[in-house]
Amino acid sequence: MAKNDSGVEPLESPSATASNGGDSSGGETGVGQSNTGPPPQSKVTPESNRDESDEAAKESSASTPDQEDEDVAALTEGIGSVSIAPSKPPSGDKEESAPEAIKSVAALLSSKKCRNIVILTGAGVSCSAGIPDFRTPGTGLYDNLQKYELPYPEAVFSVDFYRRNPDPFVQLASELWPGLKHSPTITHSFIALLDKKGILLRNYTQNIDMLDVLAGVSEERMIECHGHFRTAKCIECSLSFDGEECKRIFVKEKRAPTCRACGGYVKPDIVFFGEALPDLFHRTVNKDMKKADLLIVMGTCECHIFPAILEPIALVLSSRELLPHCYFFGIAPLKALMVGPVNMIPEIVRKDCPRVLFNREIVGSFGQKNGPRTRRKSYDTSARDTFHGGDCDESIRILCDVLGWGQELDELNASTRLG
């Protein structure tokens, strides 16, 4: 084999080996070996066969680059079909298409300035769980309770009426008892996610369904303004009654338990009309509102704000003594006053605290130019308020997608679904 100018023998090509018959016997030269002796004895191949062999070798050698291109293309296509889920939505996708109001809320949550968030929720956050709200015409709980021939809708939450006829509340409670039929919604899971991230100061809820706790919100972060089903007591002597036993009698036996001491009816610790809100609410609310750096109100039509001077009137009108007379004299619209003092929460946060409303309609003083008329001087709320109308769950899902929390939200919600 001839050497090149640098003295290094060139490697034989596969075609050269093939043309030599590929026989390793009789002293065939190997790679990197010189051939200084007599030529090896090889089998004589007819000229036509040799030509065909040379032609095939050339074709094989000529097709190699094309085959390599095809292999590279196939590999590239295979790699291109593999997708890696981003931790945050790509720019220009969900973030850019989100409504401006939601993007502004996402900016607040991303700024790390909001570390003490207060949530206020109403019945609207539980509707997608299958729990109707109270006052929507045709579908609300009060309309559905007419089959019990109540003297007025709110009688189902009247201690005096319960004392005379507990059956309507027993039927209602047995259908709504937490942990049996209804799972937490996306909105409940969002509140639990805020708690998990350590930025939830408190969750004030007007609901009695306990879906917040079932979603994973820690009890120390909860203020269940209108009570809960975990504990129970006698309506006459206030003796405590085992919560699980109360649940069994309500749900299985469909009757009201009776007190072992005085024989009076027992009910879960749900706040009925005329009863005081939990002591924890009164001990906590003012301190929380001073500390809050973001207030989010969701799913409520009950933030009907009225002058603080009317607060005592609201409490009187919502008493079990006067409530029936309000309906008798046709002043049912005063029901807007019956949710105090919970409905005052948006008005007692600091003036510099941003307020967000996710709701089907704007309520209370949100966005008002002349501000609320409270014990303090009226002031403009429009600069600090953000309102996004629509379904709460949809709004929260968009918000979490913008924040990059979407997958975490879905996983948390899936882990709390019943059956």
Side-chain angles (χ1 to χ4, degrees):
M1 180 180 294
K3 296 185 179 180
N4 58 25
D5 294 339
S6 62
V8 179
E9 298 175 357
L11 298 181
E12 286 191 77
S13 69
S15 60
T17 305
S19 66
N20 288 333
D23 191 346
S24 61
S25 62
E28 182 186 19
T29 58
V31 175
Q33 293 179 340
S34 62
N35 186 7
T36 57
Q41 300 295 322
S42 60
K43 188 181 294 184
V44 178
T45 305
E47 190 67 22
S48 59
N49 290 348
R50 184 181 296 114
D51 292 342
E52 290 175 2
S53 176
D54 291 343
E55 189 69 19
K58 290 178 182 178
E59 290 176 1
S60 175
S61 176
S63 64
T64 299
D66 293 337
Q67 184 64 43
E68 289 176 353
D69 290 343
E70 292 176 6
D71 292 341
V72 170
L75 180 60
T76 302
E77 182 179 357
I79 293 174
S81 65
V82 178
S83 62
I84 301 175
S87 59
K88 290 187 177 182
S91 178
D93 186 12
K94 294 178 181 178
E95 183 173 356
E96 291 188 3
S97 63
E100 289 300 320
I102 289 183
K103 284 196 276 189
S104 68
V105 178
L108 284 172
L109 292 173
S110 301
S111 68
K112 300 189 183 301
K113 294 180 180 178
C114 300
R115 314 308 295 175
N116 294 288
I117 301 173
V118 170
I119 304 288
L120 172 61
T121 61
V125 301
S126 297
C127 289
S128 62
I131 301 176
D133 62 13
F134 286 91
R135 295 184 172 93
T136 299
T139 60
L141 284 175
Y142 288 151
D143 275 5
N144 294 337
L145 288 170
Q146 292 309 308
K147 60 185 176 182
Y148 296 113
E149 299 181 352
L150 298 172
Y152 51 95
E154 283 85 354
V156 71
F157 293 114
S158 163
V159 174
D160 287 341
F161 187 82
Y162 185 78
R163 183 180 287 112
R164 298 194 305 270
N165 181 12
D167 290 344
F169 178 77
V170 169
Q171 293 300 318
L172 175 66
S174 64
E175 294 175 8
L176 299 181
W177 206 285
L180 298 180
K181 300 178 181 178
H182 307 289
S183 299
T185 68
I186 286 294
T187 302
H188 294 114
S189 297
F190 169 69
I191 302 170
L193 189 57
L194 294 178
D195 187 15
K196 182 179 178 182
K197 292 181 178 295
I199 56 178
L200 178 68
L201 174 61
R202 206 79 62 197
N203 177 36
Y204 288 81
T205 181
Q206 300 177 80
N207 301 332
I208 59 175
D209 51 41
M210 289 171 50
L211 291 181
D212 316 76
V213 175
L214 295 177
V217 181
S218 53
E219 290 190 23
E220 60 266 27
R221 297 296 173 190
M222 288 292 307
I223 302 292
E224 293 157 303
C225 304
H226 295 157
H228 53 75
F229 286 87
R230 289 187 296 276
T231 57
K233 65 171 64 74
C234 174
I235 64 171
E236 305 296 348
C237 68
S238 300
L239 183 68
S240 296
F241 193 90
D242 181 72
E244 285 300 315
E245 179 64 8
C246 181
K247 173 183 176 181
R248 186 192 66 79
I249 296 173
F250 263 79
V251 175
K252 299 295 184 182
E253 300 183 12
K254 296 292 190 297
R255 66 177 180 86
T258 53
C259 177
R260 61 183 177 272
C262 71
Y265 285 125
V266 170
K267 73 173 181 63
D269 284 330
I270 304 301
V271 178
F272 277 20
F273 286 112
E275 294 185 312
L277 268 62
D279 289 341
L280 183 60
F281 173 85
H282 298 288
R283 294 198 310 266
T284 308
V285 63
N286 286 323
K287 292 187 294 184
D288 283 351
M289 296 310 112
K290 291 178 182 178
K291 191 175 181 181
D293 47 31
L294 176 62
L295 172 70
I296 302 178
V297 180
M298 299 185 285
T300 178
C301 62
E302 301 302 335
C303 287
H304 299 274
I305 307 306
F306 50 93
I309 193 172
L310 292 182
E311 181 74 24
I313 300 175
L315 296 177
V316 171
L317 290 176
S318 63
S319 68
R320 62 175 179 257
E321 289 81 10
L322 293 186
L323 185 61
H325 303 292
C326 292
Y327 279 86
F328 180 79
F329 287 106
I331 53 175
L334 285 170
K335 65 189 178 185
L337 302 180
M338 296 176 188
V339 292
V342 179
N343 63 345
M344 295 299 294
I345 286 178
E347 312 313 316
I348 59 177
V349 292
R350 300 195 319 265
K351 293 182 181 181
D352 62 342
C353 176
R355 306 189 312 175
V356 176
L357 176 63
F358 289 135
N359 207 42
R360 293 195 179 277
E361 58 186 1
I362 195 163
V363 295
S365 64
F366 277 87
Q368 290 184 5
K369 291 293 184 182
N370 57 353
R373 298 181 182 278
T374 65
R375 293 182 179 90
R376 298 175 296 175
K377 184 179 178 181
S378 296
Y379 57 93
D380 185 2
T381 66
S382 58
R384 64 169 180 161
D385 289 347
T386 302
F387 167 69
H388 179 70
D391 179 79
C392 289
D393 287 348
E394 292 178 4
S395 302
I396 291 302
R397 187 176 292 281
I398 297 172
L399 174 63
C400 286
D401 283 341
V402 173
L403 288 166
W405 298 355
Q407 182 177 348
E408 194 174 2
L409 176 74
D410 287 336
E411 290 175 353
L412 185 58
N413 182 255
S415 68
T416 60
R417 291 176 191 158
L418 299 178

